[in-house]
Amino acid sequence: MLGVFRSELLKLRKSPIWWLIFVSPALSTLVAYAEFYPEDLLPWHISLSMIAMVHGLLFLPLLTGVFAAFVCRFEHAGGGWKQLLALPVSRSSVFLVKFAMVMGILLVIQLLVCAGLLAVGFFKGFPMPVPWDVITRSLLGSWIACLPLAALQMGVSVAWSNFAAPMALNVIFTLPSILIANSEKYGPYYPWAQPALAMLPREAESFGAFNVPLESLFFVIAGSFVIFFAAGYSYFLRKPV
Amino acid sequence: MTGFGRVFSSDLLKLRRTFVWGLAVLGPVGVIALQAVNFMLRYDWLTKLYAEDLWGGLIDNVKWLGVPALMIGLAIVASMMAGYEHQTNAWKQTLALPISRTAVYTGKIAALLVLLLISCTLLAIGTVLLGVLLGFGADVPVGKILSSSYLPLLAAMPFVSLQVWLSVTMKNQAVPLTIGILGTVFNLYSSSLNEWFPWRWPYLLEGAWSPFMTVVAGLAVGALLYGVGMNHFRVKDVN
């Protein structure tokens, strides 16, 4: 298992793709910085909401798909699946490690977003102390909300060899969340809207589905994760290579 | 048939049994279906909001979802089309044929444009159908629907050229796709950007530039990027 993990890490490091982790945090920081805040509002909360609309609504779900497709790229190119699975490693550990890689990359991205937010806060003199509980809940919550999406994308990425095909599926489901996230009734049940909904600081903004308690989002996230992960995992165990 | 004609028809042939066609249909159908749900769920509120111009309200709503779908859709389709060649290492074979590289490159762009034109046509038809079904009356503003369905594609020509260029010349499709995603997100939040940013153009917003000027700019930059991309492809090593 450790060997599989180290080989995945090496494959990632040798590729220019890991630079992608900086794209969304940089843009989020820029958006949070460009926004003007009246003194009396909660600037930390509003910055987080702004970041949720840029980073959580589109980048996070879409990048999940890019990274899931990416960790399978070397295997699809030039018959790598055969080589990898001929090694004395179990299929389940290959799948689990690839999935863990995707979630690990996303966690690094969340940490970078946090760093960007803190930098903006210190630079613009937001009121201290830093509301760590709100920030942690928001960034960690949206990371957890990516679990079902990563599971689904891993499943289709091991199945389809064309890199753009899993991305197409990802976009088909992610774009509608621009509309669906606004809906009070349907937003909470749509897995692709969860990263944005979970990222919004709980008490700041409240319109549409944006004021749903984290607990009810959790059931949708956990439920869709179990279904997507079971489907992708059991498919990969049987997949002919 | 000329070299270009053959490349073009072979490009369309290669796509025949793939779900690229499905995507070209699903894009507009999905946009119309989402707007149908949107208007049905909030019928009273939206018809009050757009009371003096029901059709205009519908057309605008379709546009706000259709343009991002166009932006990301063209990136995905360009990448899928080039992906079939990259995956099977078929560039060598294609370029070994007695066809100029110019024709090969132009064929790819032409095939992509045909697919996008079909999508735009479906979007126009879908807008009319949805408006009639919602009971917005028989005086369909045909000109307005046609221009809001096709003009965004013309204004998005820089991105068509850019995505084909990146997808064809890079083996790693993660890069063009990420640039496509980035462009789409920029495009979604572009209404406050300056007129000079091409990401704003596909919406054809009224501003310092008229829609006509925006389309001309789109076509000009698109043609420029097409030339740059083709020159790169002509001298590029293929393996």
Side-chain angles (χ1 to χ4, degrees), chain B residues 1-92:
Chain B
M1 247 196 301
T2 60
F4 167 71
R6 266 188 256 159
V7 174
F8 175 62
S9 57
S10 95
D11 265 323
L12 288 182
L13 190 69
K14 272 180 229 163
L15 300 179
R16 248 184 47 197
R17 283 171 202 285
T18 68
F19 77 120
V20 171
W21 285 104
L23 274 184
V25 175
L26 192 70
V29 169
V31 168
I32 295 296
L34 275 168
Q35 285 306 340
V37 173
N38 182 26
F39 270 83
M40 277 188 262
L41 288 177
R42 306 190 291 166
Y43 189 81
D44 296 325
W45 192 70
L46 285 175
T47 44
K48 203 159 55 178
L49 187 67
Y50 302 122
E52 68 256 45
D53 185 10
L54 290 170
W55 278 102
L58 174 66
I59 292 169
D60 274 352
N61 269 282
V62 167
K63 188 172 78 172
W64 284 110
L65 206 56
V67 168
L70 170 74
M71 290 286 287
I72 194 102
L74 69 88
I76 289 175
V77 173
S79 167
M80 284 183 98
M81 285 170 50
Y84 293 113
E85 247 99 357
H86 286 306
Q87 237 176 316
T88 47
N89 288 317
W91 284 114
K92 249 187 298 193

Side-chain angles (χ1 to χ4, degrees), chain A residues 11-83:
Chain A
K11 277 184 255 179
L12 180 72
R13 230 184 44 212
K14 294 288 172 193
S15 155
I17 213 69
W18 67 271
W19 284 98
L20 280 184
I21 61 172
F22 297 108
V23 170
S24 187
L27 215 68
S28 310
T29 309
L30 214 66
V31 167
Y33 183 79
E35 204 59 13
F36 172 75
Y37 308 105
E39 292 299 320
D40 53 343
L41 288 172
L42 296 159
W44 290 106
H45 292 64
I46 296 190
S47 296
L48 263 178
S49 312
M50 295 291 305
I51 292 174
M53 294 328 292
V54 178
H55 174 67
L57 190 61
L58 290 167
F59 270 124
L60 209 47
L62 292 177
L63 283 178
T64 306
V66 172
F67 287 120
F70 184 76
V71 295
C72 299
R73 188 180 107 84
F74 290 102
E75 278 69 30
H76 281 308
W81 286 115
K82 254 181 276 192
Q83 277 177 33

Side-chain angles (χ1 to χ4, degrees), chain B residues 188-218:
Chain B
L188 268 168
Y189 298 98
S190 65
S191 50
S192 54
L193 288 178
N194 184 284
E195 264 81 7
W196 288 94
F197 285 90
W199 291 276
R200 188 194 145 99
W201 295 347
Y203 290 109
L204 298 161
L205 300 168
E206 289 289 345
W209 292 9
S210 69
F212 175 74
M213 170 89 172
T214 310
V215 167
V216 170

